[in-house]
Amino acid sequence: MKVEEKRKTGMYESVMHQFNNAAEVMGLNPEIKKILAATNNEIVVHFPVKMDDGKIQVFTGYRVQHNNALGPYKGGLRYHATVDIDAAKALAMWMTWKTSLAGLPYGGGKGGIQLDPSKYSTAEIERITRRFTHALGDNIGPDYDIPAPDVNTTAQMMAWISDTYMSTKNPLERSRFAHVVTGKPVGSGGLEGRDRATGFGVVVSIQAWADWKKTTLKDKKYIVQGFGNVGHWASLFMKEKGSILTAVQDASGTIYNPNGIDPQELLEYTQTTKGNVAGFPKAEAIDPSLFFGLDCDILIPAALGNQITDENADSIKAAVIAEGANGPISPEGESILSKKGIEIIPDILCNSGGVIGSYYEWLQNKQGEIWSIEDVIGRLEKQVLTSFKKVVDAASEYKTDFRTAAYIVAIKRIELTYNQRGVFP
Ligand code: NAD
């Protein structure tokens, strides 16, 4: 089995392992467990797109809708070579737990296209995105399934999705459909602050962890995998806390400076290199295999799933891992970390700022309001801290780790809904 294949199947195994473990610890009703172990809908679309050279290429797009007991399906669209039905299923399930833990009126969904966007022109990406939206048709909708940005998808792409979806509707009602996606640019119904919401939430949860440990983030060393939306915003907010960034790894390479890398300078550099950190002049390039074993206090994975496995977990020196990415640790990796006493702020808590920001954008659109950035950031911080406290309380009640505790809080809310409503017919 090739490495990429191992990674792809791994994410679904990870989420099922985590779910089964939490279900056992909390004593989840076995009938409800059956429902939650399955995904409601798995949509696969094949659609043709005319390339710049005039030739037709057929693409495959996915949208998996895991569960909508609490509200419309919600979750990102990813453009990456590792996207397939198993990856979308795993990521959709994580969204169900994440939206439930955050107390939002949403279920979970995820999707995307298996492609490397760097191989296409902007005009091609626009046509691919619009045609994908058209192929999904009414499988998405502002009160049914609401996509958002994820790996390699941007606010611009969300604007194209919104415009394409609206264009298929009766002109008299088009504006009712703008919030079919969140993460739009501010000029097109987007929320001030949605761009930084995930990274901000990551740092709010790291600060909450530090407070809980009665320690401070000042002068703590941290390393970050992924310097895209989540990684760069988290780094900028960590800088405000006085923490020191010593290494960054992304798809282009790994850079290291034990005296500190300024995230703002690195961001400005990446704006000249299509987002790549490789070649940053104020750090040295190191072998990527050394990254996870670097000396640091805090590790923030903010790239892809299953990056920390039984192959590298033993080398990790951080005291805490804050999961900016979804599913960055495999179950085998996690069991090694737990033996080493390394704590984990789980993805469904740590990166929930993104979907909470998306919820504010959706509300803003639905109510015809425009929120200020101060309002957004203030509410976001409060909401992530509320979730953090629920997780700490559940961990203490069930004498378990933060991940299992976070799952228990999330699953209990859905279990209650099923118990109250029953199952049709
Ligand atoms: P992005 O596309 O903006 O950035 C992805 C980063 O990962 C890039 O720096 C890229 O170079 C790096 N990367 C890709 N392959 C890599 C590899 N093999 N090794 C090391 N680095 C690699 O994506 P993003 O929106 O920042 O998302 C990152 C993670 O955060 C994903 O797991 C995503 O699901 C999760 N997440 C994102 C949001 C959001 O609001 N964007 C919300 C919650 C969770």
Side-chain angles (χ1 to χ4, degrees):
M1 192 188 258
K2 288 191 306 202
V3 172
E4 286 294 1
E5 282 169 359
K6 198 170 141 201
R7 286 196 174 146
K8 276 189 274 172
T9 49
M11 280 209 293
Y12 184 63
E13 285 158 10
S14 290
V15 71
M16 287 308 293
H17 172 88
Q18 294 165 357
F19 170 63
N20 287 328
N21 181 46
E24 196 182 315
V25 175
M26 71 185 279
L28 175 64
N29 176 333
E31 301 307 308
I32 292 170
K33 188 177 172 201
K34 281 186 216 163
I35 302 172
L36 294 179
T39 42
N40 285 0
N41 306 307
E42 292 163 24
I43 301 142
V44 182
V45 292
H46 305 284
F47 55 94
V49 179
K50 198 187 274 182
M51 297 290 105
D52 289 349
D53 65 3
K55 297 227 168 71
I56 297 292
Q57 197 172 324
V58 177
F59 293 86
T60 301
Y62 303 90
R63 186 72 186 168
V64 172
Q65 298 163 336
H66 170 236
N67 187 277
N68 62 349
L70 297 176
Y73 303 105
K74 186 86 190 82
L77 290 175
R78 179 176 289 200
Y79 287 1
H80 195 267
T82 57
V83 172
D84 66 5
I85 198 74
D86 273 346
K89 278 169 72 173
L91 291 159
M93 279 187 150
W94 272 314
M95 285 309 301
T96 302
W97 318 138
K98 196 183 301 181
T99 53
S100 177
L101 172 62
L104 304 179
Y106 288 142
K110 202 86 170 200
I113 309 175
Q114 191 177 106
L115 64 77
D116 174 357
S118 67
K119 300 205 168 109
Y120 298 90
S121 70
T122 304
E124 286 172 333
I125 290 290
E126 176 173 354
R127 290 197 294 279
I128 293 167
T129 302
R130 287 184 181 277
R131 203 48 215 247
F132 180 33
T133 309
H134 188 259
L136 285 173
D138 282 330
N139 286 303
I140 57 172
D143 292 308
Y144 181 61
D145 183 355
I146 309 139
D150 193 74
V151 175
N152 288 334
T153 49
T154 60
Q156 173 62 75
M157 295 177 202
M158 299 306 116
W160 291 329
I161 294 174
S162 172
D163 182 65
T164 307
Y165 189 83
M166 283 195 290
S167 301
T168 63
K169 302 295 171 199
N170 179 334
L172 296 177
E173 342 184 84
R174 264 177 206 162
S175 58
R176 281 208 298 118
F177 296 95
H179 51 299
V180 62
V181 279
T182 55
K184 301 179 290 292
V186 172
S188 304
L191 180 82
E192 289 271 11
R194 172 61 186 89
D195 52 357
R196 68 210 66 187
T198 310
F200 177 72
V202 167
V203 177
V204 169
S205 66
I206 297 174
Q207 179 67 64
W209 170 85
D211 293 346
W212 177 70
K213 296 293 277 186
K214 302 198 174 13
T215 184
T216 160
L217 296 183
K218 185 152 175 17
D219 296 329
K220 292 279 187 311
K221 288 189 177 164
Y222 68 103
I223 61 174
V224 178
Q225 187 192 41
F227 203 70
N229 175 281
V230 181
H232 95 256
W233 278 111
S235 303
L236 291 172
F237 286 113
M238 286 298 277
K239 183 183 171 185
E240 287 182 11
K241 300 284 178 192
S243 308
I244 303 160
L245 176 63
T246 54
V248 180
Q249 173 168 83
D250 76 355
S252 70
T254 305
I255 57 166
Y256 175 60
N257 184 341
N259 299 318
I261 295 167
D262 181 350
Q264 181 61 37
E265 282 183 20
L266 181 59
L267 176 65
E268 283 161 22
Y269 172 77
T270 59
Q271 282 162 350
T272 66
T273 60
K274 295 192 173 161
N276 295 326
V277 302
F280 181 61
K282 294 190 177 173
E284 60 171 308
I286 59 164
D287 187 320
S289 67
L290 301 175
F291 175 76
F292 285 113
L294 290 172
D295 186 38
C296 65
D297 303 293
I298 301 158
L299 162 60
I300 308 177
L304 302 176
N306 268 3
Q307 297 298 301
I308 300 169
T309 65
D310 48 355
E311 285 165 24
N312 54 21
D314 202 34
S315 70
I316 291 178
K317 311 226 172 20
V320 64
I321 302 179
E323 294 186 326
N326 287 307
I329 306 175
S330 75
E332 300 78 19
E334 187 148 348
S335 118
I336 296 169
L337 297 172
S338 141
K339 283 186 198 120
K340 284 168 68 87
I342 296 175
E343 285 169 358
I344 297 167
I345 308 174
D347 45 11
I348 61 170
L349 168 66
C350 189
N351 69 35
S352 62
V355 74
I356 296 171
S358 277
Y359 170 59
Y360 297 160
E361 178 176 330
W362 184 74
L363 274 186
Q364 175 188 266
N365 294 159
K366 260 172 110 75
Q367 295 165 356
E369 292 178 0
I370 297 192
W371 296 17
S372 73
I373 189 147
E374 292 77 22
D375 235 14
V376 170
I377 290 293
R379 289 176 73 145
L380 195 54
E381 179 168 22
K382 218 166 135 196
Q383 207 156 347
V384 174
L385 289 176
T386 302
S387 299
F388 192 91
K389 181 164 185 329
K390 283 186 194 165
V391 171
V392 168
D393 290 349
S396 144
E397 183 185 343
Y398 287 88
K399 300 195 178 14
T400 190
D401 56 90
F402 276 6
R403 187 185 312 284
T404 310
Y407 266 66
I408 291 173
V409 176
I411 294 169
K412 269 183 180 270
R413 194 171 157 228
I414 308 171
E415 186 184 30
L416 176 68
T417 303
Y418 276 110
N419 282 336
Q420 288 171 341
R421 286 193 203 151
V423 171
F424 171 83

